[in-house]
Amino acid sequence: MDDGQVVHRNTLPSRRRRIGAWPPLLHEDVVDVLERDGLAAPHAFQQQAIELVLTGEDVVLAGGTGSGKSLCYTVPILHQLRTRKGATALY
């Protein structure tokens, strides 16, 4: 019976940040801007997601507010804007 009550809650322990690297496919101008703005390297999950998006894969991310999910789709958009003539983006 679904009466709207929470029936299960699970709290996972935090994990240590695993640092990745900007994917080699990423245009160097995009990397330069990110690094100039203080993003020296992505989290490992961001690197993996960005690589997948850049190669045309669909990606679903789930995480807390402020975990860095937005970067995973914003960076590939910046890459496309830089590398594809006439490319546009709508947010």
Side-chain angles (χ1 to χ4, degrees), residues 17-37:
R17 178 180 182 210
R18 290 190 354 230
I19 299 174
W22 296 116
L25 293 173
L26 196 55
H27 193 281
E28 65 184 39
D29 289 350
V30 175
V31 174
D32 289 345
V33 167
L34 293 166
E35 290 177 345
R36 188 173 55 230
D37 285 351

Side-chain angles (χ1 to χ4, degrees), residues 69-82:
K69 300 177 301 291
S70 296
L71 195 71
C72 298
Y73 64 82
T74 302
V75 168
I77 290 170
L78 294 174
H79 173 81
Q80 293 298 324
L81 290 171
R82 182 64 184 95

